[in-house]
């Protein structure tokens, strides 16, 4: 959860939710019918997923990433049975005041 | 006997379900806005199909956090019949009332057509009047109906697709029940397969027995 009142900064945490294990027909179709069909070779796999960005106040970047990972798990933003949560990165957005 | 048909923003199967319950099989059904729903006074619940909250996050994911689901969870633990159709099935899975997950179809497109399903479990309040192994026709209309579970043997499968598997579901599973059998979810639409006028040539009104099963089960005190 956003740690309101905590002295620190404002961070934008980028996450993506992708399928793990089971078939990914959207990614497979993009690979087959767009990438490979265009004549490009060398692309072996395309993974589809959903992007979310969380702006959060936290003491530091590491804390922001951890808080977002925790809330994504706890609130079932992704379904751990079928999805993998990718932590894509974090940006310092300043004090947020 | 009163049945609540829950409406979320984006639900579109509510009036069809209420019509079949009220006019075709003669149960009393009310369409209830999810924020107003209280389980007391209802003997059963149907969560109909549609696109609740525009399928944001995942189909059914946001509706599954509605306070209505708390009420439905209590009714489920009291053993009352709970049915989720299509998006309603997705909501029940997202809420954890039914196991597994419903993923984007394989092949990856929206499917709207009539299919045949086989009834594997007749010990639920929604299937009691089918014969074991009976094949019933119903239409499907969904983009995220690929049932997935790590251990498909563990699941109480109630319906499987008969013949073609239209969406890549594991073991062709089209519908499942809770361990007690009182919570059932399925991707096909029985409410669109309960009257002759809606049934195309070559198919039958395979959904009618589901509603008659509910009526019979409630009258026997399920």
């Amino acid at each position: 959860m956003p740690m309101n009142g905590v002295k620190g900064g404002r961070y934008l945490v980028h996450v993506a939710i992708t399928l793990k294990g089971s078939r990914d027909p959207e990614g497979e179709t993009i690979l087959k019918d767009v990438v490979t069909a265009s004549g490009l070779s060398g692309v072996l796999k395309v993974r589809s997923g959903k992007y979310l960005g969380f702006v959060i106040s936290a003491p530091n970047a590491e804390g922001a990433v951890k808080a977002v990972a925790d809330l994504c798990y706890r609130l079932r933003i992704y379904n751990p049975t079928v999805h993998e949560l990718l932590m894509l990165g974090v940006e310092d957005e300043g004090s947020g005041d | 006997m009163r049945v609540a048909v829950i409406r979320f923003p984006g639900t579109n199967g509510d009036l069809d379900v209420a019509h079949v319950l009220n006019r075709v099989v003669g149960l009393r059904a009310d369409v209830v806005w999810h924020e107003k729903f209280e389980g007391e006074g209802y003997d059963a619940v149907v969560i109909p199909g549609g696109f609740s909250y525009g399928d944001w996050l995942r189909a059914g994911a946001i509706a599954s956090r509605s306070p209505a689901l708390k009420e439905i969870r209590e009714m489920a633990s009291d053993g009352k019949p709970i049915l989720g159709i299509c998006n309603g099935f997705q909501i029940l899975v997202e809420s954890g009332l039914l196991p597994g997950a419903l993923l984007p179809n394989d092949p990856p497109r929206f499917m709207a057509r009539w299919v045949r399903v086989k009834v594997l479990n007749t010990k639920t309040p929604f299937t009691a009047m089918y014969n074991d192994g009976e094949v019933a026709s119903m239409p499907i209309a969904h983009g995220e109906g690929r049932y997935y579970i790590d251990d498909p043997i563990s699941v109480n499968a109630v319906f499987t697709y008969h013949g073609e598997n239209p969406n890549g579901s594991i073991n062709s599973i089209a519908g499942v029940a809770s361990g007690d059998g009182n919570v059932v979810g399925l991707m096909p639409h029985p409410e669109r397969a309960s009257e002759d006028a809606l049934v195309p040539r070559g198919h039958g009104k395979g959904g009618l027995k589901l509603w008659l099963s509910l009526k019979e089960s409630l009258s026997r005190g399920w």
Side-chain angles (χ1 to χ4, degrees):
Chain A
M1 292 274 109
M3 291 178 244
N4 294 324
V6 176
K7 199 172 174 197
R10 182 177 145 125
Y11 296 92
L12 169 58
V13 180
H14 304 279
V15 308
I17 299 156
T18 67
L19 290 165
K20 67 173 185 190
S22 66
R23 294 272 313 275
D24 176 0
E26 185 177 357
E28 289 168 22
T29 301
I30 293 167
L31 175 64
K32 178 169 155 284
D33 294 342
V34 180
V35 180
T36 308
S38 77
L40 271 180
S41 61
V43 180
L44 304 178
K45 191 171 181 181
V46 175
R47 280 175 91 180
S48 71
K50 178 182 280 282
Y51 165 85
L52 296 171
F54 293 86
V55 177
I56 183 170
S57 61
N60 52 44
E62 196 184 22
V65 170
K66 190 179 177 309
V68 169
D70 285 350
L71 83 83
C72 285
Y73 180 76
R74 204 151 36 82
L75 302 183
R76 218 171 135 112
I77 296 290
Y78 69 107
N79 178 348
T81 309
V82 288
H83 297 133
E84 184 180 350
L85 182 73
L86 304 178
M87 306 306 293
L88 301 178
V90 56
E91 289 176 59
D92 191 337
E93 292 222 318
S95 71
D97 292 331
Chain B
M1 294 298 169
R2 285 175 75 197
V3 182
V5 181
I6 312 293
R7 175 189 278 163
F8 292 95
T11 297
N12 65 16
D14 45 342
L15 296 178
D16 294 19
V17 170
H19 162 77
V20 170
L21 288 171
N22 283 318
R23 307 268 180 84
V24 180
V25 298
L27 275 166
R28 187 174 157 203
D30 302 328
V31 175
V32 188
W33 180 243
H34 72 113
E35 290 174 335
K36 300 256 167 80
F37 177 63
E38 288 174 17
E40 200 165 324
Y42 287 103
D43 303 293
V45 172
V46 180
I47 309 179
F51 301 86
S52 59
Y53 295 91
D55 281 349
W56 286 344
L57 190 58
R58 291 179 299 278
I62 297 182
S64 73
R65 322 299 167 94
S66 160
L69 264 292
K70 275 192 193 133
E71 298 279 322
I72 292 170
R73 203 180 298 277
E74 274 180 33
M75 292 176 74
S77 65
D78 290 344
K80 291 185 177 166
I82 312 289
L83 178 70
I85 301 166
C86 195
N87 189 227
F89 183 20
Q90 293 162 335
I91 292 168
L92 290 175
V93 165
E94 283 289 340
S95 71
L97 277 164
L98 289 174
L102 288 154
L103 298 174
N105 290 345
D106 178 15
R109 54 176 174 262
F110 193 92
M111 306 271 177
R113 69 167 86 121
W114 278 69
V115 298
R116 289 182 174 81
V117 294
K118 196 172 187 176
V119 183
L120 300 186
N121 180 350
T122 55
K123 294 184 172 58
T124 84
F126 300 101
T127 52
M129 293 186 71
Y130 289 96
N131 299 315
D132 274 323
E134 184 171 338
V135 173
S137 286
M138 297 177 202
I140 56 167
H142 59 251
E144 298 183 35
R146 175 166 52 118
Y147 188 76
Y148 181 82
I149 192 163
D150 281 336
D151 178 12
I153 303 302
S154 69
V155 76
N156 188 358
V158 177
F159 300 99
T160 52
Y161 297 106
H162 183 69
E164 63 159 355
N165 178 351
N167 53 25
S169 291
I170 196 161
N171 288 7
S172 290
I173 289 171
V176 304
S178 59
D180 304 340
N182 63 309
V183 182
V184 172
L186 77 168
M187 287 313 297
H189 286 271
E191 79 280 15
R192 300 179 193 168
S194 299
E195 294 161 280
D196 288 324
L198 298 177
V199 176
R201 190 177 304 194
H203 289 279
K205 44 184 179 183
L208 181 60
K209 279 189 186 173
L210 182 144
W211 308 111
L212 293 172
S213 297
L214 175 61
K215 187 179 185 184
E216 176 71 11
S217 300
L218 288 176
S219 71
R220 290 186 181 189
W222 185 293

Short mmCIF file of all heavy atoms in Angstrom, two decimals, chain A residues 17 19 22-23 25-26 29 50 52 75-79 81-83, chain B residues 56-58 65 93-94 100-101 103-108 146 148 150:
data_model
loop_
_atom_site.label_atom_id
_atom_site.label_comp_id
_atom_site.label_asym_id
_atom_site.label_seq_id
_atom_site.Cartn_x
_atom_site.Cartn_y
_atom_site.Cartn_z
N ILE A 17 2.34 -8.17 -16.44
CA ILE A 17 1.81 -9.48 -16.07
C ILE A 17 1.81 -10.33 -17.33
O ILE A 17 1.23 -9.93 -18.35
CB ILE A 17 0.37 -9.33 -15.53
CG1 ILE A 17 0.37 -8.45 -14.27
CG2 ILE A 17 -0.25 -10.69 -15.23
CD1 ILE A 17 -0.95 -7.78 -14.00
N LEU A 19 1.76 -14.53 -19.06
CA LEU A 19 1.41 -15.91 -18.79
C LEU A 19 2.67 -16.71 -18.53
O LEU A 19 3.71 -16.45 -19.12
CB LEU A 19 0.68 -16.51 -20.01
CG LEU A 19 -0.71 -15.98 -20.26
CD1 LEU A 19 -1.17 -16.35 -21.66
CD2 LEU A 19 -1.68 -16.53 -19.23
N SER A 22 1.39 -21.99 -19.51
CA SER A 22 0.36 -22.35 -20.48
C SER A 22 0.60 -21.61 -21.81
O SER A 22 1.37 -20.68 -21.89
CB SER A 22 -1.02 -22.01 -19.95
OG SER A 22 -1.16 -20.62 -19.82
N ARG A 23 -0.11 -22.04 -22.83
CA ARG A 23 0.01 -21.43 -24.16
C ARG A 23 -0.27 -19.94 -24.11
O ARG A 23 -1.07 -19.48 -23.30
CB ARG A 23 -1.01 -22.08 -25.12
CG ARG A 23 -0.79 -23.54 -25.43
CD ARG A 23 0.12 -23.78 -26.61
NE ARG A 23 -0.20 -22.97 -27.78
CZ ARG A 23 -1.11 -23.29 -28.69
NH1 ARG A 23 -1.83 -24.39 -28.57
NH2 ARG A 23 -1.32 -22.53 -29.74
N PRO A 25 -1.54 -17.71 -26.86
CA PRO A 25 -1.95 -17.61 -28.27
C PRO A 25 -1.77 -16.22 -28.86
O PRO A 25 -1.50 -16.09 -30.06
CB PRO A 25 -3.42 -18.03 -28.26
CG PRO A 25 -3.82 -18.15 -26.85
CD PRO A 25 -2.60 -18.19 -25.98
N GLU A 26 -1.92 -15.16 -28.06
CA GLU A 26 -1.74 -13.81 -28.60
C GLU A 26 -0.28 -13.61 -29.03
O GLU A 26 0.00 -13.13 -30.13
CB GLU A 26 -2.15 -12.76 -27.57
CG GLU A 26 -2.09 -11.35 -28.12
CD GLU A 26 -2.56 -10.29 -27.13
OE1 GLU A 26 -2.98 -10.65 -26.01
OE2 GLU A 26 -2.49 -9.10 -27.48
N THR A 29 0.47 -15.66 -32.11
CA THR A 29 -0.10 -15.10 -33.34
C THR A 29 0.71 -13.91 -33.82
O THR A 29 0.93 -13.74 -35.03
CB THR A 29 -1.57 -14.70 -33.09
OG1 THR A 29 -2.28 -15.86 -32.67
CG2 THR A 29 -2.21 -14.16 -34.35
N LYS A 50 0.19 -7.72 -19.90
CA LYS A 50 -0.49 -6.47 -19.56
C LYS A 50 0.46 -5.61 -18.74
O LYS A 50 1.11 -6.11 -17.83
CB LYS A 50 -1.75 -6.79 -18.75
CG LYS A 50 -2.50 -5.55 -18.29
CD LYS A 50 -3.70 -5.93 -17.44
CE LYS A 50 -4.88 -6.37 -18.26
NZ LYS A 50 -5.63 -5.27 -18.88
N LEU A 52 1.14 -2.38 -16.17
CA LEU A 52 0.57 -1.46 -15.18
C LEU A 52 1.70 -0.61 -14.60
O LEU A 52 2.82 -1.10 -14.43
CB LEU A 52 -0.10 -2.23 -14.03
CG LEU A 52 -1.32 -3.10 -14.37
CD1 LEU A 52 -1.72 -3.96 -13.17
CD2 LEU A 52 -2.50 -2.24 -14.78
N LEU A 75 -3.29 -8.42 -3.42
CA LEU A 75 -4.60 -8.05 -3.98
C LEU A 75 -4.92 -8.84 -5.24
O LEU A 75 -5.89 -8.55 -5.93
CB LEU A 75 -4.63 -6.55 -4.27
CG LEU A 75 -4.36 -5.63 -3.08
CD1 LEU A 75 -4.49 -4.18 -3.48
CD2 LEU A 75 -5.30 -5.94 -1.93
N ARG A 76 -4.07 -9.82 -5.54
CA ARG A 76 -4.32 -10.68 -6.70
C ARG A 76 -4.47 -9.87 -7.99
O ARG A 76 -5.37 -10.10 -8.79
CB ARG A 76 -5.56 -11.54 -6.47
CG ARG A 76 -5.40 -12.95 -7.02
CD ARG A 76 -6.55 -13.81 -6.57
NE ARG A 76 -7.07 -14.62 -7.68
CZ ARG A 76 -6.95 -15.93 -7.74
NH1 ARG A 76 -6.36 -16.58 -6.79
NH2 ARG A 76 -7.44 -16.59 -8.76
N ILE A 77 -3.57 -8.89 -8.15
CA ILE A 77 -3.51 -8.15 -9.41
C ILE A 77 -3.10 -9.12 -10.51
O ILE A 77 -3.48 -8.98 -11.66
CB ILE A 77 -2.50 -6.98 -9.28
CG1 ILE A 77 -2.99 -5.97 -8.24
CG2 ILE A 77 -2.22 -6.32 -10.63
CD1 ILE A 77 -4.20 -5.18 -8.63
N TYR A 78 -2.31 -10.12 -10.16
CA TYR A 78 -2.03 -11.22 -11.08
C TYR A 78 -2.41 -12.51 -10.36
O TYR A 78 -2.56 -12.52 -9.14
CB TYR A 78 -0.56 -11.23 -11.51
CG TYR A 78 0.42 -11.59 -10.41
CD1 TYR A 78 1.07 -12.83 -10.40
CD2 TYR A 78 0.70 -10.71 -9.38
CE1 TYR A 78 1.96 -13.16 -9.40
CE2 TYR A 78 1.59 -11.03 -8.37
CZ TYR A 78 2.21 -12.25 -8.38
OH TYR A 78 3.08 -12.58 -7.38
N ASN A 79 -2.62 -13.54 -11.15
CA ASN A 79 -3.01 -14.83 -10.60
C ASN A 79 -1.77 -15.73 -10.61
O ASN A 79 -1.36 -16.19 -11.67
CB ASN A 79 -4.13 -15.41 -11.44
CG ASN A 79 -4.56 -16.78 -10.95
OD1 ASN A 79 -3.89 -17.39 -10.13
ND2 ASN A 79 -5.67 -17.27 -11.49
N THR A 81 -1.17 -18.65 -10.13
CA THR A 81 -1.30 -19.97 -10.74
C THR A 81 -0.93 -19.93 -12.22
O THR A 81 -0.33 -20.86 -12.74
CB THR A 81 -2.76 -20.47 -10.63
OG1 THR A 81 -3.16 -20.35 -9.27
CG2 THR A 81 -2.90 -21.91 -11.08
N VAL A 82 -1.29 -18.85 -12.89
CA VAL A 82 -1.11 -18.82 -14.35
C VAL A 82 -0.23 -17.67 -14.83
O VAL A 82 0.15 -17.64 -15.99
CB VAL A 82 -2.47 -18.74 -15.08
CG1 VAL A 82 -3.20 -20.06 -14.98
CG2 VAL A 82 -3.34 -17.62 -14.54
N HIS A 83 0.05 -16.71 -13.93
CA HIS A 83 0.80 -15.53 -14.38
C HIS A 83 2.14 -15.40 -13.68
O HIS A 83 2.33 -15.89 -12.56
CB HIS A 83 0.02 -14.23 -14.08
CG HIS A 83 -1.27 -14.11 -14.80
ND1 HIS A 83 -2.44 -13.74 -14.19
CD2 HIS A 83 -1.58 -14.32 -16.10
CE1 HIS A 83 -3.41 -13.72 -15.07
NE2 HIS A 83 -2.92 -14.08 -16.23
N TRP B 56 -11.80 -5.28 -17.51
CA TRP B 56 -10.51 -4.69 -17.12
C TRP B 56 -9.77 -5.57 -16.13
O TRP B 56 -10.38 -6.31 -15.37
CB TRP B 56 -10.74 -3.29 -16.51
CG TRP B 56 -11.08 -2.27 -17.55
CD1 TRP B 56 -10.91 -2.39 -18.90
CD2 TRP B 56 -11.70 -1.00 -17.35
NE1 TRP B 56 -11.37 -1.26 -19.54
CE2 TRP B 56 -11.84 -0.39 -18.62
CE3 TRP B 56 -12.13 -0.31 -16.20
CZ2 TRP B 56 -12.41 0.88 -18.77
CZ3 TRP B 56 -12.69 0.95 -16.36
CH2 TRP B 56 -12.82 1.54 -17.64
N LEU B 57 -8.49 -5.47 -16.15
CA LEU B 57 -7.55 -6.30 -15.41
C LEU B 57 -7.59 -7.73 -15.95
O LEU B 57 -6.66 -8.15 -16.61
CB LEU B 57 -7.76 -6.24 -13.89
CG LEU B 57 -6.67 -6.89 -13.05
CD1 LEU B 57 -5.31 -6.28 -13.34
CD2 LEU B 57 -6.99 -6.78 -11.56
N ARG B 58 -8.64 -8.46 -15.66
CA ARG B 58 -8.93 -9.75 -16.30
C ARG B 58 -10.45 -9.89 -16.25
O ARG B 58 -11.07 -9.32 -15.35
CB ARG B 58 -8.34 -10.94 -15.51
CG ARG B 58 -6.84 -11.05 -15.50
CD ARG B 58 -6.41 -12.25 -14.67
NE ARG B 58 -6.83 -12.15 -13.28
CZ ARG B 58 -6.20 -11.46 -12.34
NH1 ARG B 58 -5.12 -10.79 -12.62
NH2 ARG B 58 -6.66 -11.44 -11.10
N ARG B 65 -14.37 -8.53 -6.54
CA ARG B 65 -14.07 -7.82 -5.28
C ARG B 65 -15.30 -7.09 -4.75
O ARG B 65 -15.21 -6.38 -3.75
CB ARG B 65 -12.94 -6.82 -5.47
CG ARG B 65 -11.81 -7.26 -6.38
CD ARG B 65 -11.10 -8.48 -5.88
NE ARG B 65 -10.24 -9.04 -6.92
CZ ARG B 65 -8.95 -8.75 -7.04
NH1 ARG B 65 -8.38 -7.94 -6.22
NH2 ARG B 65 -8.24 -9.32 -8.00
N VAL B 93 -14.54 -17.82 -10.48
CA VAL B 93 -13.15 -18.29 -10.47
C VAL B 93 -12.24 -17.23 -9.86
O VAL B 93 -11.39 -17.52 -9.01
CB VAL B 93 -12.71 -18.67 -11.90
CG1 VAL B 93 -11.21 -18.81 -12.00
CG2 VAL B 93 -13.38 -19.98 -12.32
N GLU B 94 -12.44 -15.98 -10.25
CA GLU B 94 -11.60 -14.90 -9.72
C GLU B 94 -11.82 -14.72 -8.22
O GLU B 94 -10.92 -14.29 -7.51
CB GLU B 94 -11.90 -13.59 -10.44
CG GLU B 94 -11.26 -13.48 -11.82
CD GLU B 94 -9.74 -13.31 -11.75
OE1 GLU B 94 -9.23 -12.89 -10.70
OE2 GLU B 94 -9.07 -13.60 -12.74
N GLY B 100 -9.25 -22.86 -10.40
CA GLY B 100 -8.75 -22.73 -11.76
C GLY B 100 -8.72 -21.29 -12.23
O GLY B 100 -8.86 -20.35 -11.44
N ALA B 101 -8.53 -21.12 -13.54
CA ALA B 101 -8.47 -19.80 -14.14
C ALA B 101 -9.06 -19.89 -15.55
O ALA B 101 -9.10 -20.96 -16.15
CB ALA B 101 -7.02 -19.32 -14.22
N LEU B 103 -8.50 -18.26 -19.18
CA LEU B 103 -7.50 -17.50 -19.93
C LEU B 103 -8.04 -17.15 -21.31
O LEU B 103 -9.03 -17.72 -21.76
CB LEU B 103 -6.23 -18.36 -20.08
CG LEU B 103 -5.54 -18.74 -18.77
CD1 LEU B 103 -4.40 -19.72 -19.04
CD2 LEU B 103 -5.01 -17.50 -18.08
N PRO B 104 -7.37 -16.20 -21.99
CA PRO B 104 -7.79 -15.88 -23.37
C PRO B 104 -7.83 -17.15 -24.24
O PRO B 104 -6.98 -18.03 -24.12
CB PRO B 104 -6.70 -14.91 -23.83
CG PRO B 104 -6.24 -14.24 -22.57
CD PRO B 104 -6.29 -15.32 -21.52
N ASN B 105 -8.84 -17.19 -25.11
CA ASN B 105 -9.07 -18.37 -25.94
C ASN B 105 -7.84 -18.75 -26.76
O ASN B 105 -7.05 -17.91 -27.14
CB ASN B 105 -10.19 -18.10 -26.95
CG ASN B 105 -11.55 -17.99 -26.31
OD1 ASN B 105 -11.74 -18.38 -25.16
ND2 ASN B 105 -12.51 -17.47 -27.06
N ASP B 106 -7.74 -20.02 -27.05
CA ASP B 106 -6.77 -20.54 -28.00
C ASP B 106 -7.54 -21.36 -29.03
O ASP B 106 -8.06 -22.41 -28.69
CB ASP B 106 -5.74 -21.41 -27.27
CG ASP B 106 -4.73 -22.01 -28.21
OD1 ASP B 106 -4.65 -21.55 -29.37
OD2 ASP B 106 -4.04 -22.95 -27.78
N PRO B 107 -7.70 -20.94 -30.27
CA PRO B 107 -7.11 -19.76 -30.91
C PRO B 107 -7.63 -18.44 -30.33
O PRO B 107 -8.74 -18.39 -29.81
CB PRO B 107 -7.51 -19.92 -32.38
CG PRO B 107 -8.67 -20.85 -32.38
CD PRO B 107 -8.50 -21.75 -31.22
N PRO B 108 -6.78 -17.38 -30.46
CA PRO B 108 -7.03 -16.15 -29.73
C PRO B 108 -8.06 -15.24 -30.37
O PRO B 108 -7.73 -14.22 -30.93
CB PRO B 108 -5.65 -15.48 -29.72
CG PRO B 108 -5.02 -15.93 -30.97
CD PRO B 108 -5.53 -17.32 -31.22
N ARG B 146 -10.76 -20.14 -21.87
CA ARG B 146 -9.85 -21.30 -21.85
C ARG B 146 -9.60 -21.70 -20.40
O ARG B 146 -8.80 -21.09 -19.70
CB ARG B 146 -8.54 -20.95 -22.56
CG ARG B 146 -7.49 -22.05 -22.48
CD ARG B 146 -6.35 -21.83 -23.46
NE ARG B 146 -5.77 -20.52 -23.37
CZ ARG B 146 -4.50 -20.27 -23.04
NH1 ARG B 146 -3.67 -21.26 -22.76
NH2 ARG B 146 -4.04 -19.04 -23.01
N TYR B 148 -8.17 -23.37 -17.26
CA TYR B 148 -6.85 -23.90 -16.95
C TYR B 148 -6.75 -24.18 -15.46
O TYR B 148 -7.22 -23.39 -14.64
CB TYR B 148 -5.73 -22.91 -17.35
CG TYR B 148 -4.38 -23.49 -17.04
CD1 TYR B 148 -3.77 -24.38 -17.91
CD2 TYR B 148 -3.75 -23.21 -15.82
CE1 TYR B 148 -2.55 -24.97 -17.60
CE2 TYR B 148 -2.54 -23.80 -15.50
CZ TYR B 148 -1.95 -24.67 -16.39
OH TYR B 148 -0.75 -25.27 -16.06
N ASP B 150 -3.74 -26.36 -12.79
CA ASP B 150 -2.51 -27.15 -12.80
C ASP B 150 -2.79 -28.64 -12.77
O ASP B 150 -2.13 -29.43 -13.42
CB ASP B 150 -1.63 -26.78 -11.60
CG ASP B 150 -0.86 -25.49 -11.85
OD1 ASP B 150 -0.65 -25.16 -13.04
OD2 ASP B 150 -0.49 -24.81 -10.88
#
